[in-house]
Amino acid sequence: MRTGLVTTPFGRRPMTLALVKGQLQSSDDRMKRPVEKWKVFRDISEARQLLGLHDRALAVLDALLTFHPKNEFSAGDRLVVFPSNAQLSVRAHGITGTTLRRHLAALIEAGLIHRRDSPNGKRYAHRGHGGQIEHAYGFDLEPLMLRAAELAGLAQQVAAEKIRFKRAKEALTLCRRDIRKLLTAAVEEGADGDWCMMEEIYETLISRLPRSPNRETVETLLSEMDTLRTEIVNRLETQVKTEKTDTNDTQNGCHIQNSDSESIYELEHGSEKELEGKTEPTKLRQNATQKTFPLSMVLRACPQMLDYARGGQIGNWRDFIATAVLVRSMLSVSPSAYQQACETLGQENAAVALACILERAGHINSAGGYLRDLSARARRAEFSLGPMLMALIRANASEGLKRTG
């Protein structure tokens, strides 16, 4: 028959079968190997979320442990401590009585300590003639010794989860960087593909990432991001293979070039004097290297152009260029500055540059001077519209998320 193995709480505090089970298990699982109490405390601190404990509960447990004189728990030791609430409050950094009782209850509920209540509910000890404690009423720390291995396993589980979470966040960061730079390169280099749609998919995925995500959310998003990255790489790989094939065909085939001929594009923009000399002016060589971006992408980056378009709609490049002429006048850009941009960038891209300036008009002191500077940098091959458009698309997407949030 078991005697004195189970004690019931004093006063109105109810007894539960869970408390009975915990006390009986403690009696059945006695250990002989000593356990370092502060190591057990560190394991509990690591696993506190799994145990359902708050930081203040840990402060209370820390205070309780200071009332046990040894640094180890050993079988045969008396592990019941009996401090008053006032003493506990002092060692728990001044925690209030109500909070103290609540977190003591949480420690008992988690099965880390047991109550050993006296007949009157007070905490005290009976001592023998030599001063040794014969019987004590208070809080039994024995579950900490008996569950030391289990608590260490929980702490290792939490540590492994943290590492896995960290790796997932690192992988997501790298995947986001890859997608961002691959999209920018694709647009800047004028690669074939619906990069605007890819950008929309990317922004949609990013919008699903909460401010404080858990590991499952990060891993799910990483899987979808990785699929998007693979699709982008595959399309760029196809583009590279196509260009390589076209280059080989050109080199191996019979290529006849008339050095005196001029392209239609050059004939449209070259002066009569240049055509008479059959020379290729520098500005035309620069013009030929400029990429024309999809109109849908440009309008997504520069939606304010629609405010100045006839009927509020832009259906083709002719409409866009006509709107740019109106915007040029509104921004007080001189005809010569705009003409210079057309000669350097091409008519479409000059209109795009003007649309980008319109989007950032509040941050630009002189729109005409800024356009001249862009033209000068483009002539030195130091400027491309691709990164500017991508930056505006990202800014507009972020602003849209703020409004909807």
Side-chain angles (χ1 to χ4, degrees), residues 272-298:
E272 293 180 0
K273 184 179 294 185
E274 288 164 346
L275 293 176
E276 289 174 359
K278 301 298 182 183
T279 61
E280 185 182 19
T282 302
K283 68 181 181 182
L284 297 181
R285 289 198 303 270
Q286 292 165 345
N287 238 345
T289 62
Q290 296 297 323
K291 307 291 184 181
T292 301
F293 301 93
L295 182 59
S296 60
M297 175 185 174
V298 174

Short mmCIF file of all heavy atoms in Angstrom, two decimals, residues 272-298:
data_model
loop_
_atom_site.label_atom_id
_atom_site.label_comp_id
_atom_site.label_asym_id
_atom_site.label_seq_id
_atom_site.Cartn_x
_atom_site.Cartn_y
_atom_site.Cartn_z
N GLU A 272 20.61 64.27 -93.60
CA GLU A 272 20.94 64.12 -95.02
C GLU A 272 22.44 64.14 -95.23
O GLU A 272 22.98 63.43 -96.06
CB GLU A 272 20.28 65.25 -95.81
CG GLU A 272 18.75 65.17 -95.81
CD GLU A 272 18.16 66.30 -96.60
OE1 GLU A 272 18.94 67.12 -97.12
OE2 GLU A 272 16.92 66.37 -96.70
N LYS A 273 23.14 64.95 -94.46
CA LYS A 273 24.59 65.03 -94.62
C LYS A 273 25.24 63.71 -94.26
O LYS A 273 26.18 63.25 -94.92
CB LYS A 273 25.15 66.14 -93.74
CG LYS A 273 26.64 66.37 -93.93
CD LYS A 273 27.14 67.50 -93.04
CE LYS A 273 26.53 68.82 -93.49
NZ LYS A 273 27.07 69.97 -92.75
N GLU A 274 24.72 63.06 -93.20
CA GLU A 274 25.29 61.79 -92.78
C GLU A 274 25.01 60.72 -93.83
O GLU A 274 25.86 59.87 -94.11
CB GLU A 274 24.68 61.37 -91.44
CG GLU A 274 25.18 62.23 -90.29
CD GLU A 274 24.32 62.07 -89.06
OE1 GLU A 274 23.22 61.53 -89.20
OE2 GLU A 274 24.74 62.52 -87.98
N LEU A 275 23.83 60.77 -94.48
CA LEU A 275 23.50 59.77 -95.48
C LEU A 275 24.35 59.95 -96.73
O LEU A 275 24.72 58.99 -97.38
CB LEU A 275 22.02 59.87 -95.86
CG LEU A 275 21.04 59.48 -94.73
CD1 LEU A 275 19.61 59.71 -95.20
CD2 LEU A 275 21.25 58.04 -94.34
N GLU A 276 24.67 61.19 -97.06
CA GLU A 276 25.49 61.43 -98.24
C GLU A 276 26.87 60.84 -98.06
O GLU A 276 27.47 60.30 -98.97
CB GLU A 276 25.59 62.93 -98.51
CG GLU A 276 24.28 63.53 -99.01
CD GLU A 276 24.37 65.03 -99.12
OE1 GLU A 276 25.45 65.57 -98.78
OE2 GLU A 276 23.39 65.67 -99.54
N GLY A 277 27.41 60.91 -96.80
CA GLY A 277 28.74 60.38 -96.56
C GLY A 277 28.74 58.90 -96.25
O GLY A 277 29.80 58.30 -96.08
N LYS A 278 27.56 58.28 -96.21
CA LYS A 278 27.44 56.85 -95.92
C LYS A 278 28.19 56.49 -94.65
O LYS A 278 28.87 55.48 -94.56
CB LYS A 278 27.98 55.99 -97.10
CG LYS A 278 27.28 56.22 -98.40
CD LYS A 278 25.81 55.87 -98.32
CE LYS A 278 25.13 56.07 -99.68
NZ LYS A 278 23.71 55.80 -99.61
N THR A 279 28.10 57.32 -93.64
CA THR A 279 28.77 57.03 -92.37
C THR A 279 27.72 56.67 -91.34
O THR A 279 26.56 57.05 -91.46
CB THR A 279 29.57 58.25 -91.88
OG1 THR A 279 28.66 59.33 -91.68
CG2 THR A 279 30.65 58.63 -92.87
N GLU A 280 28.15 55.96 -90.27
CA GLU A 280 27.25 55.58 -89.19
C GLU A 280 27.54 56.47 -88.00
O GLU A 280 28.55 56.30 -87.32
CB GLU A 280 27.46 54.11 -88.80
CG GLU A 280 26.46 53.63 -87.76
CD GLU A 280 26.74 52.21 -87.36
OE1 GLU A 280 27.86 51.74 -87.60
OE2 GLU A 280 25.82 51.58 -86.79
N PRO A 281 26.71 57.47 -87.73
CA PRO A 281 26.99 58.38 -86.65
C PRO A 281 26.93 57.65 -85.30
O PRO A 281 26.27 56.63 -85.15
CB PRO A 281 25.85 59.42 -86.73
CG PRO A 281 24.79 58.78 -87.55
CD PRO A 281 25.43 57.76 -88.41
N THR A 282 27.63 58.24 -84.31
CA THR A 282 27.71 57.63 -82.98
C THR A 282 26.34 57.49 -82.36
O THR A 282 26.01 56.47 -81.77
CB THR A 282 28.60 58.49 -82.06
OG1 THR A 282 29.89 58.59 -82.65
CG2 THR A 282 28.72 57.85 -80.69
N LYS A 283 25.50 58.53 -82.51
CA LYS A 283 24.20 58.49 -81.86
C LYS A 283 23.34 57.37 -82.43
O LYS A 283 22.50 56.80 -81.73
CB LYS A 283 23.49 59.82 -82.00
CG LYS A 283 23.07 60.17 -83.42
CD LYS A 283 22.39 61.52 -83.45
CE LYS A 283 21.95 61.87 -84.86
NZ LYS A 283 21.33 63.19 -84.93
N LEU A 284 23.52 57.00 -83.73
CA LEU A 284 22.73 55.93 -84.30
C LEU A 284 23.19 54.58 -83.79
O LEU A 284 22.40 53.68 -83.58
CB LEU A 284 22.81 55.99 -85.83
CG LEU A 284 22.21 57.26 -86.45
CD1 LEU A 284 22.33 57.19 -87.97
CD2 LEU A 284 20.77 57.44 -86.04
N ARG A 285 24.51 54.43 -83.59
CA ARG A 285 24.99 53.18 -83.01
C ARG A 285 24.43 53.00 -81.61
O ARG A 285 24.04 51.90 -81.22
CB ARG A 285 26.52 53.18 -82.98
CG ARG A 285 27.16 53.05 -84.35
CD ARG A 285 28.61 52.62 -84.21
NE ARG A 285 29.39 53.54 -83.38
CZ ARG A 285 30.02 54.60 -83.85
NH1 ARG A 285 29.97 54.89 -85.15
NH2 ARG A 285 30.72 55.38 -83.05
N GLN A 286 24.35 54.08 -80.85
CA GLN A 286 23.80 54.00 -79.50
C GLN A 286 22.31 53.68 -79.56
O GLN A 286 21.80 52.90 -78.78
CB GLN A 286 24.03 55.31 -78.76
CG GLN A 286 25.51 55.56 -78.47
CD GLN A 286 25.77 56.99 -78.07
OE1 GLN A 286 24.92 57.86 -78.29
NE2 GLN A 286 26.94 57.26 -77.53
N ASN A 287 21.62 54.32 -80.52
CA ASN A 287 20.19 54.09 -80.67
C ASN A 287 19.90 52.62 -80.94
O ASN A 287 18.95 52.05 -80.41
CB ASN A 287 19.67 54.92 -81.84
CG ASN A 287 18.57 55.86 -81.39
OD1 ASN A 287 18.02 55.71 -80.33
ND2 ASN A 287 18.28 56.83 -82.23
N ALA A 288 20.73 51.98 -81.74
CA ALA A 288 20.48 50.61 -82.14
C ALA A 288 20.63 49.64 -80.98
O ALA A 288 20.12 48.54 -81.00
CB ALA A 288 21.43 50.20 -83.27
N THR A 289 21.38 50.04 -79.92
CA THR A 289 21.60 49.14 -78.80
C THR A 289 20.51 49.27 -77.74
O THR A 289 20.48 48.48 -76.81
CB THR A 289 22.96 49.44 -78.14
OG1 THR A 289 22.94 50.79 -77.63
CG2 THR A 289 24.10 49.28 -79.12
N GLN A 290 19.62 50.24 -77.86
CA GLN A 290 18.58 50.42 -76.85
C GLN A 290 17.49 49.37 -77.02
O GLN A 290 17.11 49.03 -78.14
CB GLN A 290 17.97 51.82 -76.96
CG GLN A 290 18.94 52.95 -76.67
CD GLN A 290 19.47 52.90 -75.26
OE1 GLN A 290 18.73 52.55 -74.34
NE2 GLN A 290 20.73 53.24 -75.08
N LYS A 291 17.00 48.86 -75.87
CA LYS A 291 15.93 47.87 -75.88
C LYS A 291 14.59 48.56 -75.67
O LYS A 291 14.49 49.51 -74.90
CB LYS A 291 16.16 46.85 -74.77
CG LYS A 291 17.53 46.20 -74.78
CD LYS A 291 17.71 45.27 -75.96
CE LYS A 291 19.05 44.56 -75.88
NZ LYS A 291 19.27 43.67 -77.03
N THR A 292 13.57 48.08 -76.37
CA THR A 292 12.23 48.60 -76.15
C THR A 292 11.49 47.65 -75.22
O THR A 292 11.44 46.45 -75.47
CB THR A 292 11.48 48.71 -77.48
OG1 THR A 292 12.19 49.57 -78.35
CG2 THR A 292 10.08 49.28 -77.26
N PHE A 293 10.94 48.18 -74.15
CA PHE A 293 10.29 47.37 -73.14
C PHE A 293 8.82 47.19 -73.47
O PHE A 293 8.22 48.02 -74.16
CB PHE A 293 10.45 48.03 -71.77
CG PHE A 293 11.89 48.21 -71.37
CD1 PHE A 293 12.56 49.39 -71.65
CD2 PHE A 293 12.56 47.18 -70.72
CE1 PHE A 293 13.88 49.55 -71.29
CE2 PHE A 293 13.90 47.34 -70.36
CZ PHE A 293 14.55 48.53 -70.65
N PRO A 294 8.20 46.11 -72.97
CA PRO A 294 6.76 45.91 -73.20
C PRO A 294 5.96 47.09 -72.66
O PRO A 294 6.21 47.56 -71.55
CB PRO A 294 6.46 44.62 -72.43
CG PRO A 294 7.78 43.91 -72.33
CD PRO A 294 8.81 44.99 -72.22
N LEU A 295 5.00 47.55 -73.44
CA LEU A 295 4.21 48.71 -73.03
C LEU A 295 3.44 48.42 -71.73
O LEU A 295 3.30 49.31 -70.88
CB LEU A 295 3.23 49.08 -74.15
CG LEU A 295 2.35 50.30 -73.90
CD1 LEU A 295 3.20 51.55 -73.66
CD2 LEU A 295 1.40 50.54 -75.07
N SER A 296 2.96 47.19 -71.57
CA SER A 296 2.23 46.85 -70.34
C SER A 296 3.11 47.00 -69.12
O SER A 296 2.66 47.45 -68.06
CB SER A 296 1.69 45.43 -70.44
OG SER A 296 2.75 44.49 -70.60
N MET A 297 4.38 46.62 -69.27
CA MET A 297 5.32 46.75 -68.15
C MET A 297 5.58 48.22 -67.84
O MET A 297 5.63 48.63 -66.67
CB MET A 297 6.63 46.04 -68.51
CG MET A 297 7.72 46.20 -67.48
SD MET A 297 9.25 45.47 -68.03
CE MET A 297 10.34 45.99 -66.69
N VAL A 298 5.73 49.04 -68.88
CA VAL A 298 5.99 50.46 -68.68
C VAL A 298 4.81 51.13 -67.97
O VAL A 298 5.00 51.92 -67.05
CB VAL A 298 6.27 51.15 -70.04
CG1 VAL A 298 6.39 52.66 -69.86
CG2 VAL A 298 7.54 50.59 -70.67
#
